[in-house]
Amino acid sequence: MLNRLDPGMRVVVRYILPTGQATDALGPLVSIDERELVVDGKRGLETIPRGAVVAAREVPPPPASRRRG
């Protein structure tokens, strides 16, 4: 799953926090290596240890914002 991800892709990553709770990071993948990955999500840059990742995949771009008229 992680081998198919490249920096620049928009991704969603589900991972386990130190508390044992699962959470998601959604946004562009900034970097990935054998130890960790970095996602630029709503909470800023999220550094995620590879061992904490439960699932990860590329996702499509966000929908265009709709203007109210």
Side-chain angles (χ1 to χ4, degrees), residues 34-69:
E34 63 279 348
R35 294 176 295 124
E36 62 192 19
L37 51 150
V38 179
V39 176
D40 189 2
K42 285 187 177 182
R43 295 180 290 261
L45 291 179
E46 298 181 60
T47 301
I48 306 163
R50 283 182 82 120
V53 175
V54 176
R57 68 182 180 97
E58 184 177 10
V59 294
S65 60
R66 292 163 59 175
R67 298 182 73 182
R68 291 187 153 171

Side-chain angles (χ1 to χ4, degrees), residues 5-21:
L5 302 179
D6 293 314
M9 290 179 164
R10 184 169 187 255
V11 298
V12 62
V13 179
R14 172 146 303 169
Y15 64 101
I16 304 297
L17 297 169
T19 62
Q21 294 176 300

